[in-house]
């Protein structure tokens, strides 16, 4: 079984977990070992497992050469805890795995992680909401064309405005585009773009869209300073001053003007530990638990550098503003420290770049589920973020332009097409007559147009003529007067009739 690239999509972390287990069980060499004067068949030493699995992960394009030996040991600890392996006496779960000569074996059957059950998702692109709140269960793309069925009296009252017989009508404007409408448009178009970049049938495969707050997206786009860093309205959610000063100190080393106290040997290590401890005590990672599957899915695009950058730019817009700001400041610091050759070594056992990834991966991305590859996945994502932070943590200008133009278009429609934003109530009418007003037009066939012409005009007109001629209570004089009115209505209908288009079809609003 050869390692394969696991692309973006639902349950990517689970798919990677199961594939890694299968590769490990299939490829790990098993042989006879002797321990305490006793021979054991088909087993392996702990150190042998670390060597073999470490090489497997480094050569696997889903993880890469950045995987450390310590990360491999942590994964084997999870394997032992979840009975992927057991010690030579059949013990697992509460035992601890160490990089030593202890003997282990595979149980008869290795439990693969089951795929979570989620409600069925819609296999469609997210709809962009109109400024009017639609009724539940309706879709503006497939509004059925229903002819208005009217008797002769209602038809006469509706069309008598054409001959000036209605003295007045009441015009009621529909609800205008509100801030809440604009926020929902930002949410739907952002998620739609993310879905397209990830190549998913539905973004709900990797994200519960109900948990996405549109206010966060709008804030992250518009409330930024000249450097692109988010500006928070709630100052209590800012980084503590002492943490920010420590970050500036290391980022600008050796000129750390914010810290006035004298330095000493090991001072920079203590400053770094202060920053790492602060970020390490957070209860939830910066990329939040509910966005874990989104960012893991993006990892499947790292082979396509530009797509991965775009997916991360959009995904980071979904973060709460305080998380986005902390992530921006942290990644900028990590990137500058990694490139700063004047900064003394911060660790005796690891290089500065490796230390950055090891120290902050868990506070940036992790899952709620301990049975996961989150350490490896987080390390890969953080490495990519650190190398491309300037592009990723800026606002995606192309997406911003598209959404802003759409909002401007909606406002333009409201001002240029007021007819479709009105409700008309005729004088002496028992009910309101509301013109159907979707915010778009669509082409219909000639047969459908003919059907609407007959049912909407000819049938009520025939009923009206029959009522006038057959009604014995109406005098001859009144009949002649009403027939003249019908004649005027017929003329007005000829003026406002539908015209065929160049596509040999008709358009209806």
């Amino acid at each position: 079984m050869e390692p394969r690239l696991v692309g973006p999509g639902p349950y990517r972390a689970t798919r990677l977990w199961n594939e890694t287990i299968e590769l490990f069980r299939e490829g790990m060499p098993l042989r006879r070992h002797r321990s305490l004067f006793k021979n054991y068949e088909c087993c392996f030493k702990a150190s042998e497992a670390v060597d073999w699995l470490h090489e497997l992960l480094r050569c696997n394009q889903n993880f890469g050469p950045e995987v450390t030996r310590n990360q491999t040991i942590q994964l084997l600890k999870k394997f032992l805890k979840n009975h992927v392996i057991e010690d030579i006496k059949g013990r697992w779960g509460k035992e601890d795995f160490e990089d030593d000569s202890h003997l282990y074996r595979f149980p008869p059957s290795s439990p693969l992680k089951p795929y979570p059950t989620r409600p069925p998702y819609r296999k469609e692109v997210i709809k962009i909401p109109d400024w009017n709140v639609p009724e539940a269960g309706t879709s503006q793309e497939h509004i059925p064309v229903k002819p208005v069925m009217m008797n002769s009296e209602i038809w006469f009252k509706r069309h008598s405005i054409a001959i000036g017989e209605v003295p007045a009508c009441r015009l009621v404007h529909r609800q205008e585009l509100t801030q809440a409408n604009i926020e929902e448009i930002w949410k739907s178009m952002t998620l739609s773009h993310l879905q397209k970049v990830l190549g998913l049938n539905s973004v709900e495969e990797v994200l519960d869209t109900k948990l996405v707050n549109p206010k966060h997206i709008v804030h992250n786009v518009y409330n930024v300073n000249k450097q692109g860093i988010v500006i928070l309205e709630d100052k209590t959610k800012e980084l503590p001053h002492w943490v920010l000063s420590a970050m500036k100190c290391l980022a600008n080393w050796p000129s750390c003007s914010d810290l006035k106290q004298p330095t000493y040997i090991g001072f920079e290590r203590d400053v770094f530990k202060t920053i790492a401890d602060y970020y390490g005590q957070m209860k939830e990672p910066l990329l939040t638990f509910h966005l874990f599957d989104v960012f893991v899915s993006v990892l499947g695009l790292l082979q396509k550098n530009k797509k991965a950058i775009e997916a991360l730019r959009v995904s980071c817009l979904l973060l709460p503003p305080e998380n986005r700001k902390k992530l921006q400041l942290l990644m900028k610091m990590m990137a500058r420290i990694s490139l700063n050759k004047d900064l003394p070594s911060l660790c005796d056992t690891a290089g500065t770049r490796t230390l950055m990834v090891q120290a902050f991966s868990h506070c940036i991305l992790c899952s709620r589920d301990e049975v996961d590859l989150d350490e490896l996945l987080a390390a890969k994502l953080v490495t990519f973020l650190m190398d491309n932070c300037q592009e990723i943590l800026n606002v995606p200008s192309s997406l911003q332009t598209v959404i802003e133009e759409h909002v401007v278009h909606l406002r333009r429609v409201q001002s240029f097409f007021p007819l479709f934003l009105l409700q008309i109530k005729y004088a002496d009418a028992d009910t309101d007559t509301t013109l159907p007003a979707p915010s778009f037009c669509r082409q219909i066939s000639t047969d459908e147009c003919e059907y609407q012409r007959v049912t909407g005009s000819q049938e009520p007109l025939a009923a009206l003529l029959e009522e006038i001629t057959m009604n014995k209570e109406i005098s001859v004089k009144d009949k002649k007067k009403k027939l003249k009115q019908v004649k005027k209505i017929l003329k007005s209908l000829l003026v406002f009739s539908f015209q065929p288009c160049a596509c040999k079809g008709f358009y209806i609003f």
Side-chain angles (χ1 to χ4, degrees), residues 68-254:
T68 65
R69 188 175 182 86
N70 184 61
Q71 290 172 338
T72 306
I73 295 172
Q74 296 304 314
L75 179 57
L76 284 165
K77 287 178 182 286
K78 289 189 176 184
F79 281 178
L80 180 59
K81 183 177 181 180
N82 294 279
H83 206 192
V84 176
I85 59 176
E86 61 185 18
D87 77 359
I88 203 64
K89 295 182 180 180
R91 294 173 298 191
W92 58 278
K94 295 182 179 179
E95 304 298 316
D96 195 17
F97 185 93
E98 300 292 342
D99 187 1
D100 54 21
S101 59
H102 199 81
L103 296 181
Y104 292 90
R105 67 190 181 191
F106 292 118
S109 61
S110 180
L112 298 180
K113 187 177 178 182
Y115 293 98
T117 56
R118 288 181 179 172
Y121 53 82
R122 301 168 298 171
K123 293 185 177 180
E124 58 185 19
V125 176
I126 298 169
K127 299 296 185 300
I128 299 172
D130 195 1
W131 59 83
N132 295 301
V133 180
E135 295 182 3
T138 62
S139 172
Q140 292 194 3
E141 286 193 354
H142 302 92
I143 296 180
V145 179
K146 296 181 179 179
V148 182
M149 305 305 295
M150 300 176 290
N151 57 32
S152 58
E153 181 180 0
I154 296 177
W155 186 92
F156 185 83
K157 286 181 178 179
R158 177 173 177 176
H159 290 82
S160 60
I161 189 172
I163 58 174
E165 295 233 340
V166 176
C169 64
R170 177 166 58 87
L171 304 181
V172 181
H173 284 270
R174 283 191 176 184
Q175 179 183 2
E176 299 207 358
L177 200 61
T178 65
Q179 181 61 27
N181 300 143
I182 294 174
E183 290 171 355
E184 285 303 316
I185 290 171
W186 268 95
K187 174 180 175 178
S188 63
M189 294 188 70
T190 301
L191 293 180
S192 179
H193 183 60
L194 178 61
Q195 175 180 317
K196 182 180 178 181
V197 175
L198 292 178
L200 304 176
N201 291 323
S202 169
V203 74
E204 291 177 2
E205 295 177 7
V206 295
L207 173 65
D208 184 353
T209 57
K210 295 178 182 177
L211 299 178
V212 176
N213 190 335
K215 293 183 182 297
H216 292 168
I217 301 175
V218 175
H219 187 103
N220 290 334
V221 170
Y222 291 108
N223 293 66
V224 296
N225 60 20
K226 293 181 180 179
Q227 290 75 38
I229 305 296
V230 175
I231 300 172
L232 301 183
E233 295 178 352
D234 186 354
K235 300 305 179 183
T236 62
K237 295 181 179 180
E238 295 276 5
L239 279 172
H241 177 71
W242 53 273
V243 176
L244 191 59
S245 296
M247 294 174 71
K248 288 181 178 179
C249 173
L250 291 186
N252 299 315
W253 190 275

Side-chain angles (χ1 to χ4, degrees), residues 303-318:
Q303 303 293 332
K304 305 173 182 178
N305 188 68
K306 290 184 178 180
K307 268 200 169 184
I309 290 175
E310 180 65 15
L312 286 172
R313 291 174 74 188
V314 178
S315 301
C316 288
L317 285 182
L318 310 182

Side-chain angles (χ1 to χ4, degrees), residues 295-469:
F295 287 99
V296 169
S297 202
V298 173
L299 286 172
L301 295 173
L302 293 192
Q303 303 293 332
K304 305 173 182 178
N305 188 68
K306 290 184 178 180
K307 268 200 169 184
I309 290 175
E310 180 65 15
L312 286 172
R313 291 174 74 188
V314 178
S315 301
C316 288
L317 285 182
L318 310 182
L319 296 173
E322 58 270 23
N323 286 42
R324 181 175 170 88
K325 181 167 186 176
K326 289 178 181 177
L327 179 67
Q328 287 176 316
L329 295 174
L330 178 61
M331 295 311 305
K332 286 179 179 292
M333 181 203 74
M334 292 170 62
R336 294 186 68 170
I337 288 178
S338 299
L339 298 175
N340 190 350
K341 297 180 180 180
D342 294 328
L343 183 67
S345 174
L346 299 175
C347 179
D348 295 330
T349 58
T352 303
R353 179 182 171 86
T354 302
L355 178 64
M356 294 296 106
V357 176
Q358 291 178 349
F360 297 108
S361 289
H362 190 73
C363 70
I364 292 176
L365 180 72
C366 70
S367 68
R368 284 193 177 95
D369 190 358
E370 291 185 359
V371 189
D372 219 323
L373 301 168
D374 49 2
E375 291 96 343
L376 299 177
L377 298 175
K380 192 171 183 66
L381 179 66
V382 170
T383 301
F384 190 80
L385 280 171
M386 192 165 57
D387 293 339
N388 301 277
C389 65
Q390 193 62 37
E391 292 180 86
I392 292 173
L393 295 176
N394 284 336
V395 175
S397 56
S398 57
L399 176 63
Q400 181 181 355
T401 300
V402 169
I403 298 177
E404 288 176 344
E405 287 179 351
H406 181 74
V407 173
V408 170
H409 168 71
L410 292 181
R411 285 177 170 152
R412 189 181 298 120
V413 167
Q414 286 182 315
S415 50
F416 280 102
F417 297 97
L419 175 62
F420 305 117
L421 306 176
L422 302 178
Q423 183 184 51
I424 302 178
K425 180 174 181 179
Y426 296 102
D428 303 324
D430 296 330
T431 59
D432 288 348
T433 303
T434 304
L435 296 176
S439 60
F440 61 92
C441 62
R442 66 181 181 84
Q443 188 177 6
I444 62 174
S445 65
T446 54
D447 292 338
E448 188 175 356
C449 180
E450 179 65 18
Y451 171 74
Q452 293 186 42
R453 185 179 67 83
V454 172
T455 57
S457 299
Q458 290 187 1
E459 289 182 0
L461 181 59
L464 176 61
L465 290 172
E466 183 178 359
E467 182 178 334
I468 293 174
T469 55

